[in-house]
Amino acid sequence: MKLHLPLIALVVLLGFAPLVLPTFQVTLLNYIGLYTLVVLGLVLLTGVGGMTSFGQAAFVGLGAYTSAYLTTTEQLPAWLAWTGGSPWLALLIGILLTASLALLLGALTLKLSGHYLPLGTIAWGISLYYLFSTLDGLGGHSGVSDLPPISLFGMALDRGNKIFYLIWAILLLAILITQNLLNSREGRAIRALKGGQVMAESMGVNTFRSKMVVFLIAALFASVSGWLYAHNQRFVSPTPFGLHMGIEYLFMALIGGVGSVWGALLGSGILTMLKQWLENLLPQLLGSGGNYETIVFGLLIVLLMQRAPGGLWPLLMRLVPARLKPRPDLPIAGDDAPGLSRRTLPAAGQVILEAREVTKRFGGLVANDKMNLSVHAGEILALIGPNGAGKSTMFNQLSGVDVPSEGEVLFMDERVGGKTSRQIARMGMSRTFQHVKLLPGMSVLENVAIGAHLRGDKGVLAAALHLDRTEEAELLREARRQLERVGLGDYLYEEAGSLALGQQRILEIARALCADPCLLLLDEPAAGLRHKEKQALGELLKRLRGEGMAILLVEHDMDFVMGLVDRIVVMEFGQKIAEGLPEEIQSNPAVLEAYLGGAEINEHA
């Protein structure tokens, strides 16, 4: 992101804050910074990755207690004695311990889905909380006191106005790293998680790895926050690391905007200040006999979720004029750059995809029964049939989403069964979906760039440190090229969700082409398109066929199919009832009976 005046103004204000504000306000700002660091991880984990966690407070406690133990214990075990009570070495140990535990917990819980995932995070969050209060070496319920202050360049950060700069410097660095990551190939893979696992995997994204990446980053942010908290307080006890605090972190994310990086700061600030204000005001109005601030706070949260379910940051951004809104600085390479390497397409006529005696059973229902078909390089094959014929089931088996009960599917002379969708994508198969699967809040350009995921190799560290700019520029240029190819070149920076349904279907084709496939599977690509858009799509598919690409499409629009494809396979009740040229299919008695009870197909269409 380019530097903008609001960000520069924030840095300037932070620089002067400890010099002009009273101690109490500086303390509040310190807490806001600490909380924001944890919530920033939740933005990645929950808002971007779509995984709800109630256990982040436990990771805060892990970082705090690790440093407390290493800096206050007089007789450390021999294998830890080298830390010598240094808070900085304790930070290193805390990061390593947190990373190890996060990998273990992630392996156990991230394969859960639905409500089981948040319940799993509650389980290990509570377990860690009770572990902190049970171990004698950690002070039990009494906690650990007399932690040494952090020293930086010989200066002891023993007061709030001194550690303030370290807290906010680390937070701003974390924000920068997060933004760098999100505006990268790895970041698009993480954001693709909310578009559905099937879509992401079919574009070559290792979804479990992406989940583990954001889970690990969120845990590390929380652990660093715990380390800062411990040496700011100089005292650690289990209370701030329980489930109730994990819920508060989620509230902060929801208030600010769970999908917004700067929403993490806004939500943390509002909740912290609001709690403080209510704790001061309500006892004066209602007396000190009850926890009225908790009741009022809960009601305000419910009201906010009703009025602004996306949080306050997106609400504020809608009020900002379009010309003043910050836009990601996407590094698109120039036309004279070398560009990405391209796949050599198979020779025309070569069999690319073949289904042999494919049968699929769901209990007693036979969805596909001994289906055979083949797709050749440089041809367009249509798979048609009435509703319920088994086309979608067949399509999913051809693309590796489902595995046949009997028979086999071969792609490039290799069995598809047993391979993951991303392995099949790497072999050169790309697809669209019957129900459009896009990320509506992302730009058109970035949605299409997801398709090029397998054509890059820069990892998380390179993305976080902005060392991936050359590759990123090439990936985005390829995405732009494909968008211009399909006629969407004027919509690069529009939100994908703002496009009409027909345009979204074309966008999916551009995303599939961005993977540089040799076989393109299209699931009802003409649905929702106007007449001229269908004509443009037909011309595009003909050009792709001319380049040697193989295309298999499932479609209901017979006018579109008959004027475009080379061969047609017709299904009914899970079986193939006809195969041949378009003119042969139009006069086939079995096909006419299956569709219309004897009427002409093209007349019906």
Side-chain angles (χ1 to χ4, degrees):
M1 295 284 287
K2 293 180 179 179
L3 284 176
H4 295 282
L5 289 178
L7 178 58
I8 297 173
L10 174 62
V11 173
V12 171
L13 288 174
L14 290 174
F16 284 101
L19 305 177
V20 299
L21 292 178
T23 302
F24 179 71
Q25 275 75 19
V26 173
T27 301
L28 279 181
L29 286 174
N30 283 341
Y31 279 118
I32 291 171
L34 294 172
Y35 295 155
T36 303
L37 191 54
V38 183
V39 177
L40 192 61
L42 280 173
V43 166
L44 281 172
L45 186 63
T46 303
V48 178
M51 297 168 285
T52 302
S53 173
F54 290 91
Q56 296 309 106
F59 286 127
V60 178
L62 189 62
Y65 268 105
T66 300
S67 196
Y69 173 75
L70 292 175
T71 57
T72 61
T73 303
E74 294 183 0
Q75 295 293 328
L76 288 171
W79 61 280
L80 288 174
W82 60 273
T83 60
S86 167
W88 290 102
L89 294 177
L91 171 64
L92 175 61
I93 297 295
I95 287 174
L96 294 175
L97 179 61
T98 301
S100 302
L101 186 61
L103 290 173
L104 175 61
L105 293 175
L108 294 174
T109 58
L110 293 183
K111 292 183 179 179
L112 301 174
S113 60
H115 58 275
Y116 294 105
L117 176 58
L119 287 175
T121 66
I122 290 174
W124 55 252
I126 292 175
S127 298
L128 286 174
Y129 168 73
Y130 280 109
L131 181 67
F132 299 147
S133 59
T134 300
L135 293 178
D136 293 333
L138 300 181
H141 288 286
S142 300
V144 182
S145 58
D146 298 326
L147 273 71
I150 298 171
S151 293
L152 186 63
F153 303 118
M155 177 187 296
L157 308 181
D158 53 359
R159 289 188 298 174
N161 62 345
K162 292 183 178 180
I163 200 173
F164 173 91
Y165 292 108
L166 179 62
I167 291 173
W168 282 89
I170 290 176
L171 173 59
L172 291 175
L173 178 62
I175 289 174
L176 178 63
I177 287 173
T178 302
Q179 288 185 324
N180 288 348
L181 178 61
L182 290 178
N183 294 321
S184 71
R185 167 182 171 271
E186 287 283 358
R188 284 190 296 274
I190 294 167
R191 287 188 279 176
L193 296 174
K194 295 190 77 172
Q197 184 164 319
V198 173
M199 182 277 285
E201 288 277 342
S202 68
M203 295 296 109
V205 175
N206 185 333
T207 54
F208 183 74
R209 176 184 175 276
S210 294
K211 290 178 181 180
M212 189 67 82
V213 165
V214 289
F215 187 77
L216 179 61
I217 292 173
L220 292 177
F221 281 175
S223 179
V224 173
S225 177
W227 173 74
L228 289 166
Y229 171 85
H231 292 282
N232 179 43
Q233 291 287 100
R234 313 278 294 279
F235 170 76
V236 175
S237 68
T239 304
F241 313 124
L243 180 61
H244 72 285
M245 198 62 207
I247 295 173
E248 280 199 18
Y249 287 132
L250 272 174
F251 277 153
M252 292 176 191
L254 290 171
I255 290 171
V258 72
S260 310
V261 171
W262 291 103
L265 177 58
L266 180 65
S268 301
I270 288 177
L271 188 141
T272 304
M273 302 299 289
L274 182 62
K275 281 182 63 179
Q276 187 63 43
W277 181 69
L278 290 175
E279 287 175 1
N280 292 336
L281 177 64
L282 292 179
Q284 299 176 19
L285 298 176
L286 304 174
S288 57
N291 294 323
Y292 296 110
E293 66 276 3
T294 303
I295 299 172
V296 174
F297 177 71
L299 293 174
L300 289 174
I301 291 291
V302 173
L303 180 63
L304 176 65
M305 292 301 100
Q306 288 181 335
R307 299 297 182 182
L312 294 177
W313 184 261
L315 197 63
L316 292 175
M317 285 295 100
R318 284 201 290 270
L319 302 177
V320 177
R323 59 186 176 81
L324 298 179
K325 289 182 180 179
R327 173 179 287 181
D329 184 19
L330 300 177
I332 303 178
D335 293 332
D336 56 343
L340 300 175
S341 60
R342 304 199 178 281
R343 187 189 310 273
T344 301
L345 295 178
Q350 178 181 333
V351 175
I352 290 183
L353 181 69
E354 185 177 11
R356 298 176 179 173
E357 300 291 313
V358 169
T359 299
K360 183 65 178 179
R361 296 187 179 88
F362 297 98
L365 174 66
V366 180
N368 294 144
D369 187 10
K370 298 186 182 302
M371 278 293 300
N372 292 281
L373 62 81
S374 60
V375 185
H376 302 81
E379 78 160 348
I380 303 175
L381 175 71
L383 181 62
I384 69 172
N387 290 332
K391 303 185 299 298
S392 294
T393 302
M394 190 65 190
F395 194 93
N396 285 335
Q397 291 173 97
L398 294 173
S399 59
V401 174
D402 283 337
V403 179
S405 303
E406 297 175 13
E408 61 181 1
V409 176
L410 300 177
F411 175 53
M412 302 298 291
D413 295 324
E414 292 188 38
R415 287 176 61 96
V416 168
K419 295 185 182 296
T420 64
S421 295
R422 63 179 180 275
Q423 289 174 323
I424 297 170
R426 189 177 292 278
M427 292 166 63
M429 183 190 297
S430 195
R431 64 168 293 182
T432 64
F433 297 86
Q434 181 179 5
H435 303 290
V436 175
K437 297 183 183 295
L438 299 174
L439 298 169
M442 278 175 59
S443 69
V444 168
L445 182 68
E446 290 177 292
N447 264 279
V448 172
I450 294 172
H453 182 78
L454 288 174
R455 302 176 72 181
D457 57 12
K458 297 295 183 182
V460 175
L461 186 59
L465 299 179
H466 242 211
L467 301 177
D468 62 339
R469 294 298 87 187
T470 299
E471 178 184 271
E472 181 70 0
E474 292 173 350
L475 295 175
L476 291 174
R477 186 184 72 160
E478 178 67 13
R480 183 185 65 183
R481 188 177 78 88
Q482 298 300 343
L483 283 165
E484 291 171 347
R485 192 179 190 184
V486 302
L488 292 178
D490 294 333
Y491 300 92
L492 297 182
Y493 302 106
E494 301 293 329
E495 287 190 354
S498 68
L499 299 184
L501 176 60
Q503 292 174 313
Q504 291 182 7
R505 290 194 179 279
I506 298 297
L507 191 156
E508 276 205 322
I509 295 176
R511 184 180 65 193
L513 290 174
C514 214
D516 190 32
C518 61
L519 173 63
L520 193 59
L521 303 184
L522 305 179
D523 199 348
E524 299 189 23
L529 269 63
R530 295 186 292 269
H531 179 67
K532 288 188 176 180
E533 291 174 330
K534 290 178 183 178
Q535 287 182 323
L537 174 60
E539 292 301 320
L540 171 64
L541 297 183
K542 289 176 182 177
R543 289 200 305 272
L544 295 174
R545 175 180 59 189
E547 294 172 7
M549 187 177 296
I551 301 171
L552 170 66
L553 62 88
V554 174
E555 186 54 68
H556 287 291
D557 188 328
M558 292 299 104
D559 278 340
F560 179 74
V561 168
M562 294 301 171
L564 172 67
V565 306
D566 299 293
R567 291 187 300 121
I568 299 175
V569 172
V570 187
M571 293 181 65
E572 184 184 26
F573 300 122
Q575 296 180 323
K576 180 168 71 174
I577 62 171
E579 179 177 358
L581 302 176
E583 54 269 22
E584 296 172 346
I585 296 300
Q586 290 184 83
S587 59
N588 187 299
V591 176
L592 297 176
E593 184 65 30
Y595 262 95
L596 311 167
E600 290 291 333
I601 293 179
N602 54 1
E603 289 178 0
H604 173 74

